[in-house]
Amino acid sequence: MNARLQVQDLSKSYPGPKGIVRAVDGVSLAVSAGEFVAVEGPSGCGKTTLLLAAGGLLEPTTGQVLVDGQDPYVLSAERRAQFRAANLGFVFQQFHLVPYLSVLDNVLAPALALPAADAKERARELITHFGLQDRADHVPAELSTGERQRIALARALLNRPKLLLADEPTGNLDPDNARVVLGYLAEFAHHGGAVLLVTHDAAALSLAHRTLKLRGGRFVD
Amino acid sequence: MGLARLVLREILYRKLNFALGVFSVCVAVACLVGELAVLQKHDARTEQLIAAKEKDTREKMAKLEDDYRKITKGLGFNVLILPQKQNLSDLFAQDYATQYMPEAYVERLATSRVATIQHLLPSLQHKLKWPEYERTIILIGVRGEVPILHADPKKPILEAVPAGTMVVGSEIHRSLKLKAGDRVKLLGREFTVGKLHPERGTKDDITVWISLAEAQELLGRKGQINGILALECVCATDSLDKVRAEIGRILPDTQVLEFQSQTLARAEARQRAAAEAHDAIEREKQNRARLREVRESFAAILVPVVVAGSALWIALLAFSNVRERRVEIGLLRALGVRSRRIMAIFLGRAALMGLAGACLGSAAGLLIGAAWHEGTSPAPVGPVWLNAELWLAVIAGAPLVAALAGWLPSFLAAQQDPAVVLSQE
């Protein structure tokens, strides 16, 4: 099987004021290369927890995560960070661009974790690809929200990840910009990448190959 | 993009936070360097003051020396040359020397080139009962001043007593009601009373002065004397050693006794003045040393307090910076940036803060040192500089202290869980 992401019986619990809270409860899924999978659900259903666990950022209470066949949680924190840098790309609803860095430097941020000789060239290619070549020296505050998300997407793609994890990437965008961003995600999948998108926006599901519904920490039909 | 670029961009973005940190380091370093500069200037000022005081003292002492030279030109040590065998206890008990030496000694002394002697008065003294009047007298035979051959002729300070005459002390002439011109007998020989001495309140009041030759005859001491008064011996040094040495070389079987010397007291006064001047310099040195100690004590309290305050301030600024950049840290961690690189970002920032503060602070400290002057200081001491080692220590030390101050916030930044940060956002 060519699964870029395999999540098996994943649970994540937190201690809450009224006892243990199961944010994700026995979830399993797989995303193959070239596949664009969307997880849809309302706020608080465990989407972000699932995404962070899948991205090697949040160790599950039980269950297993395999990214390209490798369980990131058996690695030390530092090696897991390197693993993320080499294999994963993240896109967030809030973009999380570094406010004092130019567009080019923001796209180059992953190179701090995984330096590459061609990083700058690759960053310029991505900026051009996303139609922001004239904005390379601008800072995020000078960009529109749609442009910011495209920069965030370009940053996520710098290290040529195998799996792209997107958390409500269209949440702050108008429909036109949302369509553009989703189009890029689909394009990434089309070129052999794997995309896991979590969203509560039904409109964002249109380009996904598969949609999973998450309710109360579990997938439902 | 490297870490350095990221750090510099962030510094430019959050200028105020960085500037506040630089300012605090600048204040701490300025205090340290300023204090060192002030101490350096204090030392230079001390040297200046002491040198001025020493110069002043030298000048005053030279003037004093000159004054004494002039004073002692006309004065001198008064010494009594006695036979070597003379027991001084006997001399003081009996008021006259009991040992004798040849009268020729005085000629020998007068013809020698003794630079220190000015007046020579040979005498033969004897205490006896004046048989004709039943009175105890000190009979002194003198021949007046013996001229010193090599010296310029001087007015004699003691005239010779003419033969057949006598000079009588006050107690004697008063009690015997003698008058000038009276004819008296002494040891069977007749004399005419010449001068009458006024009352002196000393043994001089019972002296009877006659010519040396007559005294030698009357006492049966032909060609003998028992003392030579050498008056106003000029000596450039403060002691009699030179006079003694010079006389001892010419008259080896004699001894030299000093008496009634004003010069000695003046020489002592001069020595006391020199000692006082020396003490004044020492007191000045001690005062300056005490002032330095006070300044050092002040610096020993001020500098650590300011450095600690600055370190605390940097730590607070670093905490603030970490809190402000929480999402950025979470993002970088999510992108795979290792925790030690995150730490390096914050420690580098703190070190740059320290470096900038050290450069500005050392310049400010030197300016403080240059502008500082003591209230009573009339003359500028000149520029102050830190030596290279000290400057390097400050330039290297300040970033180190700043990095240490920022270590805990940096560590906490590196330990932030990206999942917590990103899920909260």
Side-chain angles (χ1 to χ4, degrees):
Chain A
M1 185 181 175
N2 197 15
R4 287 290 163 85
L5 172 66
Q6 270 192 289
V7 175
Q8 294 170 348
D9 200 22
L10 184 142
S11 296
K12 181 64 186 177
S13 305
Y14 300 101
K18 293 177 184 173
I20 299 296
V21 177
R22 279 183 174 264
V24 178
D25 189 8
V27 167
S28 296
L29 70 92
V31 183
S32 301
E35 194 176 18
F36 182 172
V37 176
V39 175
E40 178 269 328
S43 294
C45 73
K47 299 189 300 294
T48 299
T49 300
L50 173 62
L51 192 89
L52 293 173
L57 290 167
L58 188 63
E59 189 166 4
T61 311
T62 59
Q64 191 181 39
V65 173
L66 296 173
V67 176
D68 212 22
Q70 167 75 53
D71 183 348
Y73 295 105
V74 299
L75 303 173
S76 68
E78 293 302 291
R79 280 185 162 269
R80 193 157 68 240
Q82 286 296 93
F83 180 81
R84 279 198 301 273
N87 295 285
L88 301 171
F90 290 91
V91 183
F92 304 97
Q93 182 180 354
Q94 304 295 338
F95 325 132
H96 295 326
L97 297 176
V98 181
Y100 52 84
L101 293 180
S102 67
V103 164
L104 179 63
D105 284 339
N106 262 291
V107 175
L108 279 168
L112 288 172
L114 201 67
D118 66 339
K120 203 162 186 175
E121 192 185 335
R122 164 89 175 144
R124 288 197 182 280
E125 279 174 14
L126 286 167
I127 289 169
T128 304
H129 179 72
F130 287 105
L132 294 165
Q133 59 274 23
D134 296 335
R135 301 290 210 166
D137 296 326
H138 289 230
V139 291
E142 296 166 341
L143 303 176
S144 69
T145 51
E147 288 172 325
R148 288 180 205 177
Q149 193 58 298
R150 277 184 275 161
I151 293 304
L153 199 51
R155 180 182 64 195
L157 297 175
L158 183 80
N159 287 339
R160 298 181 176 86
K162 291 167 181 155
L163 174 65
L164 196 59
L165 300 164
D167 186 4
E168 306 272 14
T170 58
N172 283 332
L173 302 181
D174 60 67
D176 289 342
N177 275 310
R179 253 195 312 278
V180 171
V181 168
L182 289 169
Y184 283 127
L185 292 178
E187 183 189 67
F188 175 72
H190 180 73
H191 287 97
V195 177
L196 178 63
L197 165 74
V198 299
T199 183
H200 68 277
D201 179 9
L205 308 174
S206 58
L207 293 175
H209 299 144
R210 212 152 39 97
T211 299
L212 302 168
K213 289 183 180 178
L214 191 65
R215 301 286 185 273
R218 289 169 182 263
F219 285 135
V220 295
D221 293 332
Chain B
M1 182 185 62
L3 282 186
R5 183 176 170 86
L6 184 123
V7 170
L8 291 173
R9 290 275 174 194
E10 195 276 333
I11 287 170
L12 291 173
Y13 182 68
R14 294 188 179 91
K15 295 183 193 79
L16 181 64
N17 182 296
F18 189 77
L20 288 172
V22 169
F23 178 72
S24 77
V25 177
C26 179
V27 169
V29 171
C31 277
L32 173 66
V33 173
E35 198 54 48
L36 290 171
V38 165
L39 285 177
Q40 192 188 73
K41 213 162 179 182
H42 171 96
D43 290 345
R45 178 73 188 141
T46 299
E47 277 179 26
Q48 200 180 51
L49 281 174
I50 298 300
K53 202 134 200 165
E54 282 174 345
K55 183 170 175 279
D56 186 47
T57 303
R58 270 198 306 275
E59 285 169 2
K60 281 183 179 164
M61 287 306 295
K63 188 171 182 307
L64 207 58
E65 192 81 30
D66 192 46
D67 289 347
Y68 282 127
R69 190 185 58 75
K70 287 171 184 165
I71 291 165
T72 54
K73 197 175 175 185
L75 297 173
F77 292 98
N78 297 336
V79 299
L80 177 61
I81 301 165
L82 296 165
Q84 180 81 60
K85 289 177 186 168
Q86 178 61 52
N87 185 314
L88 294 181
S89 301
D90 294 345
L91 172 76
F92 296 132
Q94 300 188 30
D95 295 327
Y96 70 96
T98 52
Q99 298 295 321
Y100 300 90
M101 57 188 169
E103 188 185 345
Y105 274 21
V106 72
E107 268 75 34
R108 197 191 296 178
L109 210 52
T111 54
S112 65
R113 293 197 163 272
V114 181
T116 54
I117 294 172
Q118 299 218 26
H119 304 280
L120 290 172
L121 303 171
S123 67
L124 178 64
Q125 297 188 22
H126 194 80
K127 195 192 294 186
L128 54 86
K129 200 85 154 181
W130 191 350
E132 284 82 357
Y133 294 99
E134 290 292 313
R135 303 298 299 268
T136 299
I137 60 167
I138 297 172
L139 179 64
I140 303 175
V142 293
R143 56 179 267 198
E145 187 175 339
V146 177
I148 297 170
L149 292 184
H150 68 275
D152 296 334
K154 292 181 177 69
K155 185 174 179 250
I157 59 172
L158 184 71
E159 299 288 345
V161 180
T165 65
M166 68 165 56
V167 176
V168 186
S170 74
E171 169 56 24
I172 301 298
H173 70 70
R174 202 167 41 80
S175 60
L176 298 178
K177 297 183 175 36
L178 296 176
K179 297 187 296 294
D182 286 352
R183 301 283 297 172
V184 293
K185 273 196 173 183
L186 174 62
L187 297 170
R189 182 176 292 203
E190 196 163 88
F191 290 88
T192 303
V193 175
K195 282 174 71 176
L196 300 171
H197 278 163
E199 185 177 341
R200 288 175 181 168
T202 66
K203 66 179 184 180
D204 280 357
D205 292 347
I206 58 164
T207 52
V208 172
W209 301 67
I210 59 173
S211 74
L212 179 61
E214 285 172 327
Q216 285 169 337
E217 273 180 42
L218 289 175
L219 295 171
R221 293 287 176 185
K222 195 113 175 124
Q224 286 187 319
I225 54 174
N226 59 1
I228 303 169
L229 268 172
L231 299 181
E232 297 180 5
C233 302
V234 177
C235 183
T237 60
D238 295 342
S239 73
L240 282 172
D241 291 348
K242 194 173 175 186
V243 179
R244 284 191 170 121
E246 206 159 24
I247 293 171
R249 192 161 38 79
I250 298 155
L251 304 174
D253 57 343
T254 60
Q255 58 181 312
V256 177
L257 185 67
E258 188 219 356
F259 75 106
Q260 294 176 345
S261 175
Q262 295 174 33
T263 312
L264 185 63
R266 284 178 178 167
E268 283 174 1
R270 181 175 51 176
Q271 280 178 335
R272 275 202 294 275
E276 179 58 35
H278 180 262
D279 287 350
I281 291 170
E282 282 303 310
R283 277 198 300 276
E284 183 68 32
K285 281 182 182 172
Q286 283 170 5
N287 285 341
R288 299 292 300 174
R290 270 197 295 276
L291 186 58
R292 195 183 203 284
E293 276 175 21
V294 169
R295 286 189 172 133
E296 277 178 350
S297 303
F298 179 66
I301 294 167
L302 176 72
V303 173
V305 165
V306 174
V307 169
S310 169
L312 185 64
W313 179 239
I314 288 170
L316 290 173
L317 288 171
F319 273 119
S320 161
N321 188 249
V322 166
R323 199 174 59 180
E324 212 173 341
R325 297 170 70 183
R326 201 165 158 266
V327 176
E328 180 192 329
I329 297 162
L331 173 83
L332 291 175
R333 292 287 287 145
L335 294 180
V337 178
R338 293 180 183 202
S339 58
R340 60 169 173 261
R341 297 207 89 190
I342 300 284
M343 238 179 132
I345 290 169
F346 287 90
L347 289 178
R349 185 181 187 275
L352 277 177
M353 209 178 255
L355 184 64
C359 291
L360 292 173
S362 51
L366 288 176
L367 283 175
I368 289 167
W372 178 88
H373 69 95
E374 289 178 23
T376 55
S377 164
V381 168
V384 286
W385 298 105
L386 283 186
N387 64 45
E389 290 86 357
L390 201 57
W391 189 75
L392 282 175
V394 169
I395 293 297
L400 190 67
V401 171
L404 283 173
W407 188 87
L408 183 61
S410 305
F411 178 77
L412 293 177
Q415 297 307 309
Q416 275 191 20
D417 186 344
V420 173
V421 176
L422 297 173
S423 60
Q424 283 173 353
E425 293 293 319

